[in-house]
Amino acid sequence: MIVINLDRVLVDRRISSKELAERIGLSENNLSRIKARHIKAIRFSTLNGLCRELNCKPGDILDYVPDDEERA
């Protein structure tokens, strides 16, 4: 399973969701959907904007944790 750590990165960088959404040209609603893992895909341009504005790497935002089925 892919885990999204965007909330943690936002706190670490001391930036609000609203400000980040404005900086990358994304609606607050869509950014909220990303944070809540209510997405099936993310555009590379969006990921690029997140990393650019948060001064991070994709691995700081996204993490992989094996599902229970994959561990067996």
Side-chain angles (χ1 to χ4, degrees):
M1 152 175 61
I2 301 298
V3 178
I4 300 174
N5 299 312
L6 188 53
D7 280 333
R8 179 182 50 82
V9 177
L10 285 169
V11 169
D12 290 348
R13 304 300 192 274
R14 296 183 178 151
I15 183 172
S16 70
S17 294
K18 179 179 180 176
E19 183 179 349
L20 179 60
E22 288 174 0
R23 285 186 185 184
I24 64 173
L26 197 65
S27 71
E28 287 182 66
N29 186 43
N30 283 340
L31 186 60
S32 178
R33 291 177 52 81
I34 293 170
K35 288 172 31 180
R37 291 184 27 214
H38 292 144
I39 59 170
K40 294 188 185 269
I42 186 167
R43 292 180 181 193
F44 279 117
S45 59
T46 301
L47 186 57
N48 183 66
L50 291 170
C51 291
R52 180 187 66 241
E53 294 302 325
L54 295 171
N55 192 28
C56 68
K57 295 181 179 182
D60 296 329
I61 297 171
L62 305 172
D63 197 10
Y64 171 75
V65 178
D67 292 333
D68 290 336
E69 294 175 8
E70 294 175 349
R71 292 181 193 165

